[in-house]
Amino acid sequence: MPEPYDPLQPGDKEAIAPTGAGGAMDLALEEAESLEKPLGGGPGSPGPGTKARSLWSDAWHQLRRNPVFVVSALLIAFLVVIAIWPQLIASGDPLQCDLSKSQQGSAPGHPFGYDTQGCDVYTRTVYGARASITVGVCATLGAALLGSLLGGLAGFFGGWGDATLSRVADIFFGIPVILGGLVFLSVVTSTTVWPVVGFIVLLGWPQIARIARGSVITAKQNDYVQAARALGAGNTRLLLRHVAPNAVAPVIVVATIALGTYIALEATLSFLGVGLRPPTVSWGIDISNAASQIRNAPHMLLWPAGALSITVLAFIMLGDAVRDALDPKLR
């Protein structure tokens, strides 16, 4: 008697057979995860036989060819190096002053001249990068971590937690930054950078939280997230494996641009006398000391203000380049 026709070959049966107790679920989850990979066929998609680039590798491919990114990245790298090792280009002591040379112009070995106290403006400008960049980097990391955590959880779970976070963020948005700094920092007696960092994080996290919340809400509605949820993936796996990697790009862009803004905010608060305080060397302190002598000794204001402007501009340019690389609509 002839055997019944079986459309599956023996090799096909082995291919679809689960290899363990959870084999079917593992294969289904792998299929859901594969939906995250970009499909070929677009204008910039790789040809047959070429491995498709991920979002991050494609962004790096774009950034390497962007002159704005290259220039700003090199400038920021130089500023970070001199902030860590200012002795590489400045051999003097920023706190060593000679009143007999007060407000004198440039001299051999002192190209930027002297300030009111007779301190070398060049040395103080170089050493001022340390405090400003430290405040900017630490404040950005703190605001980004706190805002991403709160905003991401609120956007993913929703409900009363999301509503509470939105109302709290609205309260912080209503606080004027300069006025808040004058009130908050005027009662602080510490001369370190940490009170300023804490204040900036306190007022900076709501912006990051709002961006993270909106990005997570958009990402969790994608088909691959719904498919993984339908196949039994838990909230932890969905958030860490599927949602967070696809929602972090806007946060990185906003944090990069905010870093330059935080450096300018630190200089503003130091200029007003409530930010960093002597003996800390800061561009804001030097600008404040030079403001009253701008007619008699403009060089005292020119160099620290120029260094501050270049630093802020470099971080803003870097953020713009990263935004263009991570947002396909802007290419």
Side-chain angles (χ1 to χ4, degrees):
M1 182 177 182
E3 297 181 359
Y5 173 71
D6 188 355
L8 296 178
Q9 300 299 321
D12 298 331
K13 294 180 179 181
E14 296 176 0
I16 65 173
T19 57
M25 178 60 69
D26 292 339
L27 290 175
L29 287 176
E30 291 177 3
E31 180 66 22
E33 293 172 4
S34 68
L35 294 174
E36 301 180 38
K37 301 179 181 179
L39 298 176
S45 60
T50 304
K51 185 178 180 180
R53 290 194 298 261
S54 65
L55 170 66
W56 302 107
S57 61
D58 188 51
W60 175 243
H61 179 78
Q62 297 290 331
L63 288 173
R64 287 183 302 173
R65 288 158 176 77
N66 189 343
V68 174
F69 171 79
V70 174
V71 172
S72 60
L74 291 176
L75 183 56
I76 290 173
F78 171 75
L79 292 170
V80 171
V81 169
I82 67 172
I84 299 174
W85 299 290
Q87 301 86 355
L88 294 176
I89 61 174
S91 58
D93 185 354
L95 301 179
Q96 183 178 358
C97 307
D98 186 357
L99 281 175
S100 63
K101 299 179 180 179
S102 175
Q103 298 185 13
Q104 291 184 9
S106 89
H110 306 277
F112 294 175
Y114 299 87
D115 63 7
T116 305
Q117 301 298 324
C119 302
D120 183 20
V121 176
Y122 171 76
T123 303
R124 291 187 63 86
T125 301
V126 172
Y127 275 81
R130 173 178 293 178
S132 297
I133 292 181
T134 300
V135 170
V137 171
C138 293
T140 301
L141 290 177
L145 291 176
L146 181 61
S148 298
L149 178 62
L150 296 179
L153 292 176
F156 184 79
F157 292 103
W160 65 267
D162 185 18
T164 302
L165 179 72
S166 299
R167 301 294 77 78
V168 172
D170 290 339
I171 294 174
F172 280 95
F173 277 123
I175 300 176
V177 177
I178 302 300
L179 180 60
L182 290 173
V183 174
F184 179 83
L185 296 175
S186 61
V187 298
V188 178
T189 59
S190 175
T191 58
T192 64
V193 301
W194 303 117
V196 180
V197 170
F199 168 74
I200 296 177
V201 171
L202 183 64
L203 292 187
W205 72 265
Q207 179 188 16
I208 303 293
R210 180 164 291 184
I211 297 297
R213 173 183 175 275
S215 184
V216 166
I217 291 176
T218 301
K220 76 176 185 179
Q221 295 175 354
N222 290 327
D223 292 340
Y224 57 84
V225 176
Q226 301 300 326
R229 185 188 297 276
L231 293 170
N235 288 330
T236 302
R237 180 183 176 88
L238 288 174
L239 186 59
L240 299 180
R241 186 70 181 272
H242 302 284
V243 176
N246 295 280
V248 72
V251 175
I252 294 177
V253 172
V254 173
T256 305
I257 298 177
L259 200 157
T261 305
Y262 294 159
I263 292 177
L265 177 59
E266 176 273 318
T268 302
L269 295 174
S270 299
F271 178 84
L272 296 174
V274 296
L276 301 181
R277 297 166 186 173
T280 304
V281 181
S282 167
W283 291 330
I285 295 176
D286 290 348
I287 293 173
S288 178
N289 295 334
S292 60
Q293 304 295 331
I294 188 172
R295 292 185 178 180
N296 301 327
H299 65 274
M300 293 172 49
L301 178 64
L302 174 63
W303 298 110
L308 174 64
S309 300
I310 291 174
T311 303
V312 173
L313 180 62
F315 280 105
I316 292 177
M317 290 170 55
L318 181 69
D320 289 340
V322 173
R323 178 198 60 192
D324 295 342
L326 292 178
D327 191 351
K329 297 179 182 178
L330 298 178
R331 295 179 188 171

